[in-house]
Amino acid sequence: MGIKPIESLIFAIQSNPGTYALLLGSGISRAANIPTGWEITEDLIRKLAAQKKEECEPDPGAWYLEKFGKEPDYSKLLEELAKTKTERQQLLRSYFEPNSTNNEDDKRPTKTHKAIASLVAKGFIKVIITTNFDRLLENALNELGIKHTVISTLDQINGALPLTQDKNCQILKIHGDYQDTRIKNTPSELEKYSNKFNKILNQIFDEYGLIVCGWSAEWDTALCNALSHVKTRRFTTYWAIHGELKEQASKLIELRDAQKIQIKDADTFFQEVADGVDAIEKYSKPHPLSTELAVANLKRYLSEPKYDIQLADLVDETVNKIVEAISSEDFNVKPENRENPTTRVHKYEALCSTLLSMAPIGAFNARKEHWHTWQKALRCLYKNSDSGNAYLIDLQLYPGTLLLYSFGIGAVENEKFGFLNHLFTTKIHRGIRRDDILSIQLFPPLIFDSGREIGHLLEGMGTRYTPINDWLYTTLKQYVKQIAPDENHYLYLFNKFEILIALSFRYNDTNYPGYAPPGGFIYQKEQEKQILDEIRYSLNNYENDSPFVTSRIFGKTLVECMGNLAEFEKIVSKIRESWHIF
């Protein structure tokens, strides 16, 4: 049977994130009742026949041929019916916008658009070329909170970042947008592009793999020329085919040595691609049996002091595998790397999954003899380059943050606050920059420019107050089930950990007086109050014997702890007010 072309395509997309571009035509919007060029042509013929009080059914094209002595042509007919660009734009408007008689699916993003948006969100697709005037793709991206750059005019090309530098997905609408009067419809308008449009197309066709879907290649002379002029093919071209191929498409497929993929429709095709990429991503994680074995060994080594050396070796081996992988080309932070933040964090999570399964159990059962082993693991995962893609540099700290949170939740559950303080105050050497401690270096709001800008780029986090914190909450849930199987209790432990690390920051940092980094507790006021009341109760009743004092997690004395707690509450109140959380 062999491997099917669509299977090769799925593997190519998953293994080369951001290196495949889409070339989309009107066929991808068909399920949304956005008509193709021929369907618009037939509808215009019907209106023309009605104006002449003649019947053109059942074959409007045949009626037109008999009436005017020539085959109907979408672009020429449109040019004859509407003489100016503005008139053509207004004539086409009704074909692209919903109206009160449409059902809820008409002229709205389809499964195709949503599947493409999912691939964009995860960083697999960064460049899209489309001949379509509609905004269904942009609407699908907006629904997921995905930032994107639309280029449909020369003005927008002049103001756009180069492809390799734009963090957002770029949508090149080469024939314009239906709301802009400069849309291209007529043969003369479609015959050639400006030099700047040709330049960017040449770059895409040269440097990217190509996935073609819903495009007949019949009328778009300039686009066909641009595609045929680029002789180099660094990556494969895949051409999705529905029905019979037209002559021009066949020529381009032969010229590009493209892989043909017979499809039922665009919805089925793109959903299969998105699902296939997700499936491979899941299998990229370490085998569950290897993780189970590592956790089983960890539990055995934790049981008796005689196994302390074996425990240290197990942790070192697990961490070293992560460090080695992070140092590979797959995790490079080069300026030209176009990898989506969501894709990068998923890769880190898959890479760290075994360690994350071990950490909560290790922290829950940690004796003082183990502290150095876990501290060393955090130091090893601390990585921060000086140059490259800014957000990928920031994300290098994500594995350390994952591990710190996993430790933290396990330690909070067993009230090992001394262990937490030991981790929080671990010194990190930062080369020519000032040395710092982990509670300052690895808390999300401190890593990623207050945590919100890059966090909002993560899939589904576009509208969150604390996007990275919320992402971590969802991600780590599966890894702490052995110590916190109840979700409500897990939420409590998560918030308590974030409050303690914020208090530790407030106590240890001297550069930002009057500031404490916010966590998810910022919008969970009731639970924050419960946790702070518990801490205050411990301080009031046990005074200097309170575990919060003896651990020195946010003060060396009762007075210091009470003072920092009061200051923290004022700071949190101000943050809520500035964020309009009431």
Side-chain angles (χ1 to χ4, degrees), residues 154 157 184 192-199:
L154 278 175
I157 283 188
K184 296 178 175 66
K192 63 180 180 179
Y193 298 143
S194 69
N195 290 335
K196 289 186 177 179
F197 263 103
N198 278 323
K199 183 178 179 181

Side-chain angles (χ1 to χ4, degrees), residues 63-296:
W63 176 86
Y64 187 92
L65 176 62
E66 182 181 349
K67 189 73 176 178
F68 297 98
K70 58 183 178 182
E71 292 285 346
D73 180 281
Y74 164 80
S75 301
K76 290 179 180 178
L77 178 60
L78 193 60
E79 187 175 34
E80 290 174 354
L81 291 175
K83 298 302 183 182
T84 69
K85 289 187 175 184
T86 301
E87 289 169 342
R88 289 192 286 274
Q89 185 249 0
Q90 292 299 318
L91 179 61
L92 290 172
R93 200 177 188 94
S94 63
Y95 294 109
F96 298 101
E97 293 183 347
N99 59 56
S100 57
T101 62
N102 293 141
N103 66 48
E104 64 181 63
D105 294 323
D106 280 357
K107 299 181 177 66
R108 290 176 175 84
T110 65
K111 292 179 181 178
T112 294
H113 300 98
K114 292 176 181 179
I116 292 171
S118 172
L119 290 168
V120 172
K122 296 168 185 173
F124 294 109
I125 299 296
K126 284 282 289 179
V127 176
I128 300 171
I129 305 165
T130 179
T131 62
N132 297 341
F133 304 137
D134 66 67
R135 294 187 171 182
L136 298 185
L137 185 55
E138 295 98 305
N139 292 342
L141 294 171
N142 287 334
E143 286 176 5
L144 291 182
I146 302 168
K147 293 181 180 179
H148 52 276
T149 304
V150 177
I151 300 173
S152 61
T153 66
L154 278 175
D155 295 337
Q156 290 168 332
I157 283 188
N158 292 334
L161 288 171
L163 290 172
T164 56
Q165 295 181 23
D166 196 343
K167 297 177 183 179
N168 301 331
C169 169
Q170 284 200 1
I171 303 175
L172 187 63
K173 302 182 80 166
I174 50 177
H175 295 165
D177 183 284
Y178 80 91
Q179 291 193 6
D180 191 308
T181 59
R182 292 168 286 184
I183 54 178
K184 296 178 175 66
N185 285 289
T186 66
S188 60
E189 290 169 345
L190 298 172
E191 187 176 1
K192 63 180 180 179
Y193 298 143
S194 69
N195 290 335
K196 289 186 177 179
F197 263 103
N198 278 323
K199 183 178 179 181
I200 193 171
L201 286 173
N202 288 342
Q203 180 187 357
I204 295 169
F205 295 152
D206 174 35
E207 297 178 1
Y208 290 72
L210 200 61
I211 304 165
V212 183
C213 186
W215 183 55
S216 69
E218 280 300 285
W219 296 311
D220 306 325
T221 306
L223 182 55
C224 292
N225 289 340
L227 190 57
S228 60
H229 285 164
V230 178
K231 306 301 182 185
T232 54
R233 290 183 291 277
R234 304 176 195 227
F235 297 92
T236 306
T237 296
Y238 292 87
W239 201 299
I241 301 167
H242 176 64
E244 291 186 7
L245 277 174
K246 302 290 185 180
E247 180 181 358
Q248 185 60 43
S250 297
K251 289 180 180 178
L252 288 172
I253 288 171
E254 182 177 358
L255 183 66
R256 299 282 299 182
D257 194 22
Q259 294 289 305
K260 294 184 286 187
I261 303 175
Q262 292 288 342
I263 64 171
K264 176 185 175 183
D265 52 49
D267 281 356
T268 305
F269 170 64
F270 276 107
Q271 193 61 59
E272 185 175 350
V273 170
D275 290 345
V277 171
D278 283 344
I280 297 176
E281 283 288 282
K282 291 177 183 176
Y283 280 106
S284 297
K285 295 183 178 181
H287 194 281
L289 289 179
S290 66
T291 297
E292 288 180 13
L293 179 60
V295 172

Side-chain angles (χ1 to χ4, degrees), residues 399-460:
T401 298
L402 283 169
L403 183 57
L404 182 62
Y405 267 67
S406 300
F407 283 148
I409 293 165
V412 168
E413 171 65 355
N414 206 14
E415 296 193 350
K416 290 188 175 288
F417 303 129
F419 174 53
L420 267 187
N421 185 51
H422 187 73
L423 295 180
F424 289 168
T425 55
T426 297
K427 281 283 184 72
I428 292 295
H429 180 62
R430 306 173 68 214
I432 61 173
R433 292 172 290 179
R434 180 176 62 86
D435 290 355
D436 239 326
I437 60 175
L438 281 178
S439 65
I440 294 174
Q441 285 298 301
L442 294 181
F443 197 24
L446 308 168
I447 300 174
F448 310 117
D449 294 328
S450 298
R452 302 180 80 185
E453 181 180 350
I454 193 171
H456 287 151
L457 298 178
L458 297 176
E459 184 180 4

Side-chain angles (χ1 to χ4, degrees), residues 319-320 323 355 371-384 396-397 399-401 403-404 407 422-430 435-438 442:
V319 171
N320 288 340
V323 172
L355 184 62
W371 289 8
H372 176 73
T373 295
W374 297 119
Q375 185 183 54
K376 179 183 175 185
L378 277 169
R379 278 204 179 104
C380 288
L381 290 184
Y382 180 88
K383 184 178 177 65
N384 196 216
Q396 287 182 311
L397 298 174
T401 298
L403 183 57
L404 182 62
F407 283 148
H422 187 73
L423 295 180
F424 289 168
T425 55
T426 297
K427 281 283 184 72
I428 292 295
H429 180 62
R430 306 173 68 214
D435 290 355
D436 239 326
I437 60 175
L438 281 178
L442 294 181

